[in-house]
């Protein structure tokens, strides 16, 4: 069946919203199950699980994108949503299987790649930036609302109900794709239907990275992106666990933190970014964003009180302007015929960081003994005296060592960014670069092969 109506951006928006709303509901229960399953090396295991998932997503995204060019988008939307949501019911059935399936689900956890290709099929070039923006805003909206709802339902009715509700929403998403989503790629547009061969070049996740050294300015931009996004990816994987276990936030406080930070980030990436780009220029906006990121990570690293985390979160929202500013800088300095090449390099580097960052953060937590060995999990924001005493004894000087490592990494990124010229043409070129300079890049997926000439859109930093 072809679905309901003709293909539209709204079909893609509903698919993304339902998938990430389901996962957002599980934010608080996941933190509880993670600590109960791995009480001795919680941060290390969390880093390894998220790191394996990120690396598998990085390696598989180009292949899945290439296959969707041949077999159509609808079947791969169904495949990626199914495998991304498959671990959800296992949370209450078997926590060990839950985390194992999360790790291997990275092979198919690239819904954004397929969604962006779906949007590219049905929009004109001048419409795509706005369409990608709508998809990204939907992702942000789902994560702004769902953790708070999940925390409330878990507190009142128990985590089992939250898992059942998340499973039901995931099944609703799968049914919506089966019944309502029409295929966006007509049969006549495909290279050869089911029998078409896929070349290694199409499926090679490192293809874009191999071109990094061809231009010195591209190299500077890519190094800046790597050094700044590596700690960001690690931070996303462990920070809410850090708030819950070390800073003794309640589930409700963690959910409120996510909501506030998400709303502030949306404001920063729209209104504030626009004002800064007009007033101080691209390069200075990048430097300002990196400066905010250094301050935020240092504050997280040395912060020992909950109010410090909230204050640093406000700074973190301002640091989210960095990557959109990088995209805009590249769009203005690159000529028309290799937009996809340079954007693909940056996207590939961010995808690689999504695998390396979480593992690195988990390992640093492990080295500095930031864990809760043989300690019960705090049941509320008041925590327990035993946990507080342990925390102060072990980490009185540096509560969060990985965040300080991240601050040093971003400081290096800032020094590298100082050497990026603001008005120099790049020698590695692609097509339609200037038309879509405001687009961002999605961190979980190297460029979707179905839209090689369109930069992908970054997730809003939540």
């Amino acid at each position: 069946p072809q679905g309901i109506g003709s293909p539209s951006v709204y079909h893609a928006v509903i698919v993304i919203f339902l998938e990430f709303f389901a996962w957002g509901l599980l934010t608080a229960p996941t933190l509880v199950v993670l600590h109960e399953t791995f009480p001795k090396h919680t941060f290390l295991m969390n880093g390894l699980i998220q790191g394996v998932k990120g690396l598998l997503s990085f390696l598989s995204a180009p292949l899945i994108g290439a296959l969707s060019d041949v077999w159509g988008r609808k079947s791969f939307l169904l495949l990626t949503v199914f495998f991304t949501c498959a671990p959800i019911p296992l949370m209450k059935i078997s926590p060990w299987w839950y985390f194992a399936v999360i790790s291997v689900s990275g092979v198919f956890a690239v819904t954004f790649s397929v969604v962006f290709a779906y949007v590219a099929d049905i929009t004109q070039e001048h419409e795509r930036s706005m369409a990608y923006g709508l998809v990204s805003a939907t992702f942000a909206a789902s994560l702004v609302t769902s953790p708070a709802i999940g925390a409330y339902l878990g507190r009142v009715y128990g985590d089992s109900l939250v898992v059942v509700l998340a499973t039901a929403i995931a099944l609703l998403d799968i049914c919506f794709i089966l019944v309502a989503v029409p295929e966006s790629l007509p049969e006549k547009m495909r290279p050869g239907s089911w029998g078409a061969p896929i070349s290694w070049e199409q499926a090679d996740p490192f293809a874009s990275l191999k071109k990094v050294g061809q231009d010195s300015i591209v190299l500077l931009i890519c190094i800046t992106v790597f050094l700044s996004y590596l700690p960001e990816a690690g931070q996303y994987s462990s920070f809410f666990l850090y708030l819950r276990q070390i800073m003794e936030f309640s589930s409700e406080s963690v959910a409120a933190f996510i909501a506030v930070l998400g709303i502030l980030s949306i404001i920063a990436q729209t209104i504030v970014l626009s004002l800064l780009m007009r007033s101080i220029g691209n390069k200075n906006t990048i430097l300002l964003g990196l400066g905010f990121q250094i301050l935020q990570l240092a504050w997280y690293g040395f912060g020992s009180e909950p109010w410090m985390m909230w204050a640093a979160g406000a700074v973190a929202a301002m640091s989210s302007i960095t990557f959109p500013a990088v995209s805009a800088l590249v769009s203005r300095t690159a000529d028309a015929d290799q937009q996809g090449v340079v954007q693909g390099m940056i996207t590939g580097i961010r995808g690689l960081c999504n695998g390396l960052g979480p593992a690195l953060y988990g390992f640093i937590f492990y080295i500095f003994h930031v864990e809760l060995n043989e300690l019960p999990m705090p049941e509320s924001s008041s925590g327990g005296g035993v946990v507080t005493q342990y925390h102060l004894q072990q980490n009185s000087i540096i509560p969060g060592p990985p965040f300080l490592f991240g601050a040093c990494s971003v400081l290096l990124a800032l020094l590298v960014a100082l050497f990026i010229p603001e008005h120099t043409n790049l020698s590695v070129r692609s097509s339609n670069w200037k038309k879509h300079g405001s687009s961002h890049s999605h961190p979980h997926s190297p460029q979707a092969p179905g839209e090689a000439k369109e930069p992908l859109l970054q997730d809003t930093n939540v």
Side-chain angles (χ1 to χ4, degrees):
Q2 282 300 306
I4 299 174
S6 56
S8 71
V9 176
Y10 299 107
H11 288 101
V13 162
I14 293 173
V15 170
I16 287 293
F17 181 84
L18 291 175
E19 176 181 330
F20 287 97
F21 190 88
W23 272 109
L25 289 172
L26 298 179
T27 301
T30 296
L31 301 182
V32 176
V33 173
L34 184 65
H35 178 62
E36 290 176 347
T37 309
F38 307 108
K40 297 202 172 196
H41 303 299
T42 310
F43 287 99
L44 177 63
M45 295 306 299
N46 177 64
L48 291 177
I49 290 165
Q50 298 298 328
V52 169
K53 180 180 179 180
L55 282 174
L56 290 176
S57 296
F58 166 71
L59 294 173
S60 66
L63 176 60
I64 289 179
L67 290 173
S68 75
D69 287 340
V70 177
W71 296 346
R73 314 296 184 202
K74 180 171 179 173
S75 56
F76 280 91
L77 277 176
L78 188 64
L79 187 72
T80 55
V81 170
F82 175 81
F83 280 99
T84 302
C85 296
I88 291 177
L90 295 175
M91 177 181 283
K92 286 299 179 183
I93 298 172
S94 171
W96 280 93
W97 276 106
Y98 170 70
F99 290 113
V101 174
I102 282 180
S103 298
V104 298
S105 71
V107 174
F108 295 101
V110 288
T111 307
F112 267 95
S113 276
V114 185
V115 164
F116 286 142
Y118 187 97
V119 171
D121 292 339
I122 59 178
T123 55
Q124 300 297 320
E125 289 183 357
H126 65 278
E127 301 172 326
R128 286 179 194 164
S129 293
M130 186 176 295
Y132 290 164
L134 184 59
V135 172
S136 182
T138 302
F139 165 81
S142 67
L143 291 185
V144 164
T145 55
S146 54
I149 295 172
Y152 172 77
L153 292 176
R155 180 169 56 84
V156 176
Y157 301 105
D159 288 345
S160 296
L161 176 69
V162 180
V163 174
V164 170
L165 179 60
T167 303
I169 292 174
L171 288 174
L172 176 63
D173 197 10
I174 292 170
C175 293
F176 177 78
I177 296 171
L178 278 172
V179 175
V181 176
E183 176 58 60
S184 65
L185 192 66
E187 186 75 28
K188 62 184 179 181
M189 296 292 291
R190 304 177 199 176
S193 191
W194 290 83
I198 300 297
S199 69
W200 168 244
E201 185 178 356
Q202 288 175 284
D204 182 7
F206 298 96
S208 62
L209 302 184
K210 294 173 184 175
K211 303 184 181 74
V212 167
Q214 292 183 4
D215 182 90
S216 59
I217 302 171
V218 173
L219 182 61
L220 290 173
I221 292 173
C222 289
I223 292 174
T224 301
V225 170
F226 179 82
L227 292 174
S228 63
Y229 192 69
L230 185 67
E232 193 174 330
Q235 173 190 319
Y236 290 159
S237 70
S238 61
F239 187 63
F240 302 131
L241 177 64
Y242 180 79
L243 290 179
R244 186 75 175 89
Q245 300 293 339
I246 303 300
M247 301 309 299
E248 303 177 50
F249 273 45
S250 66
S251 297
E252 292 79 9
S253 297
V254 172
F257 189 95
I258 295 172
V260 171
L261 191 57
I263 292 169
L264 290 177
S265 294
I266 292 171
I267 295 172
Q269 291 187 65
T270 53
I271 300 171
V272 176
L273 178 63
S274 177
L275 292 173
L276 288 174
M277 294 281 278
R278 285 200 300 265
S279 58
I280 65 175
N282 276 2
K283 180 179 174 181
N284 289 331
T285 302
I286 293 171
L287 297 177
L288 183 63
L290 292 173
F292 277 118
Q293 190 178 359
I294 293 170
L295 177 59
Q296 159 224 331
L297 288 168
W299 211 337
Y300 282 157
F302 286 114
S304 57
E305 300 294 334
W307 70 266
M308 296 180 180
M309 299 297 104
W310 283 97
V315 178
M318 280 300 300
S319 72
S320 68
I321 64 175
T322 303
F323 193 76
V326 168
S327 294
L329 175 66
V330 174
S331 72
R332 292 186 180 184
T333 56
D335 280 345
D337 70 332
Q338 281 215 10
Q339 138 179 283
V341 173
V342 184
Q343 190 70 26
M345 294 175 197
I346 297 173
T347 307
I349 286 171
R350 287 170 65 84
L352 191 60
C353 288
N354 274 297
L356 299 178
L360 183 62
Y361 263 51
F363 185 64
I364 296 173
F365 273 125
Y366 175 72
I367 290 176
F368 283 86
H369 307 291
V370 182
E371 50 191 327
L372 302 175
N373 289 344
E374 301 177 3
L375 291 176
M377 180 175 176
E379 293 299 326
S380 67
S381 58
S382 59
V386 178
V387 176
T388 305
Q389 182 180 8
Y390 176 88
H391 170 58
L392 293 175
Q393 285 176 352
Q394 292 290 335
N395 303 292
S396 56
I397 299 177
I398 305 176
F403 302 113
L404 288 185
F405 166 82
C408 295
S409 177
V410 180
L411 178 60
L412 292 176
L414 179 64
L415 296 176
V416 172
L418 288 171
F419 294 95
I420 300 174
E422 186 156 3
H423 300 292
T424 303
N425 287 342
L426 303 180
S427 62
V428 182
R429 313 260 184 247
S430 235
S431 66
N432 301 324
W433 186 269
K434 296 180 179 179
K435 294 181 183 177
H436 309 289
S438 60
S439 295
H440 318 313
S441 174
H442 177 257
H444 292 301
S445 58
Q447 189 160 359
E451 39 144 358
K453 297 183 180 179
E454 287 298 326
L456 301 184
L457 192 67
Q458 180 196 18
D459 293 350
T460 302
N461 293 300
V462 177

